[in-house]
Amino acid sequence: MRKLGIIGGMSWVSTAMYYDRINRIVQKRAAPMASAPLLIESLDFCQLYALVEERDWQRAAGVLIDSARRLEGAGAEALIIGANSMHRLYDDVAASVNIPILHIAEYVGLTMKRAGHTNAALIGTRNVMTESFYRKRLVAHGIDLLPPNMEFVAMLDRIIYDELMVGKVTRDAQRTLKTIITNKAQEGAEAIVLACTELDLVVDVDANVLPVFDSTRIHCEAAANWILDQEEVH
């Protein structure tokens, strides 16, 4: 098995989910006693929270680049960034190391393409929903994305940052997400891209009015494939 480095880019909740999911897939496919050879750096979320100004993002890029270099130096043969929103900094981080980084949106796009979906609504944090860095990767795979509803953007940011990232799960949040997904179906979306790790806590991925493509599950599957040398890096 190949050694993978994980940059825990957002909350500890997200980092724990990545560790758990990747190991479960590897154990299932390799052997009952197998566990994934992972190097994890769980970053202090206080350094990466509520990034607005460009200088804030530049500071965050420095944090992720330092982490990537440490993981490469410790023996990681490839990396993943365990946060959708931090992929805004993907190009900067990828240019700082000599090992591949598995881009989350690339694998989401590939998975949707294989499933035959060409139309979807993107749900996540404000920068994932409104900026081009994530959307363009999906569009490149032939996915037509609905425009973001700014009222939903504000609601999702509150739920993600104020509740889920500190491990708080409420019935209100579950109802809100169900309402948003139902609304997107009424707007014509054929599928949902769940592009925030923590949203998995309040969305039943397997029982919804639309097919839900959970970026975390897809990213973890890609990571496990890479560890087991069953798929090439995209």
Side-chain angles (χ1 to χ4, degrees), residues 12 18 61 78 80 103 142 171 207:
W12 63 265
Y18 267 88
I80 57 172
H103 195 296
R171 288 290 301 155

Side-chain angles (χ1 to χ4, degrees), residues 2-226:
R2 299 187 288 186
K3 192 175 292 184
L4 181 74
I6 301 177
I7 302 173
M10 296 292 272
S11 70
W12 63 265
V13 177
S14 168
T15 307
M17 289 170 77
Y18 267 88
Y19 180 77
D20 181 73
R21 285 190 188 281
I22 292 170
N23 270 296
R24 288 183 187 278
I25 297 167
V26 168
Q27 181 186 38
K28 187 176 180 180
R29 291 205 199 147
M33 298 300 289
S35 54
L38 299 172
L39 293 167
I40 302 173
E41 179 152 11
S42 183
L43 301 174
D44 180 5
F45 182 47
C46 287
Q47 295 180 291
L48 303 168
Y49 174 67
L51 306 173
V52 180
E53 304 292 335
E54 195 54 40
R55 65 175 180 270
D56 297 330
W57 281 105
Q58 288 171 0
R59 176 176 50 78
V63 173
L64 264 66
I65 286 168
D66 287 346
S67 177
R69 286 174 174 164
R70 283 191 293 270
L71 289 167
E72 181 181 27
E77 299 166 76
L79 298 172
I80 57 172
I81 300 170
N84 287 270
S85 59
M86 287 294 122
H87 280 73
R88 188 182 195 266
L89 305 170
Y90 176 89
D91 291 341
D92 293 332
V93 182
S96 73
V97 292
N98 297 308
I99 54 175
I101 304 180
L102 284 61
H103 195 296
I104 193 168
E106 284 296 310
Y107 287 98
V108 172
L110 280 166
T111 303
M112 295 186 75
K113 189 175 182 179
R114 286 172 189 153
H117 288 282
T118 57
N119 172 287
L122 184 61
I123 295 179
T125 56
R126 182 179 298 271
N127 73 321
V128 167
M129 291 177 70
T130 63
E131 296 181 30
S132 66
F133 72 94
Y134 200 100
R135 301 178 73 89
K136 70 182 180 184
R137 296 266 182 172
L138 300 182
V139 170
H141 286 284
I143 314 299
D144 201 18
L145 293 170
L146 269 64
N149 178 317
M150 296 314 291
E151 182 184 347
F152 290 160
V153 169
M155 290 163 66
L156 285 162
D157 258 15
R158 183 191 61 74
I159 290 169
I160 292 165
Y161 287 108
D162 295 350
E163 298 179 14
L164 301 182
M165 286 189 176
V166 293
K168 182 180 177 184
V169 177
T170 67
R171 288 290 301 155
D172 274 353
Q174 291 170 341
R175 282 191 288 266
T176 298
L177 265 297
K178 189 162 280 192
T179 299
I180 290 172
I181 291 171
T182 301
N183 185 276
K184 291 300 179 185
Q186 292 166 352
E187 288 179 13
E190 297 171 3
I192 295 293
V193 177
L194 207 61
C196 171
T197 308
E198 291 85 1
L199 283 176
D200 192 69
L201 298 170
V202 288
V203 174
D204 187 343
V205 173
D206 301 311
N208 239 295
V209 292
L210 291 174
V212 177
F213 289 84
D214 181 357
S215 62
T216 309
R217 290 190 185 187
I218 292 168
H219 207 199
C220 290
E221 185 84 16
N225 286 342
W226 182 87

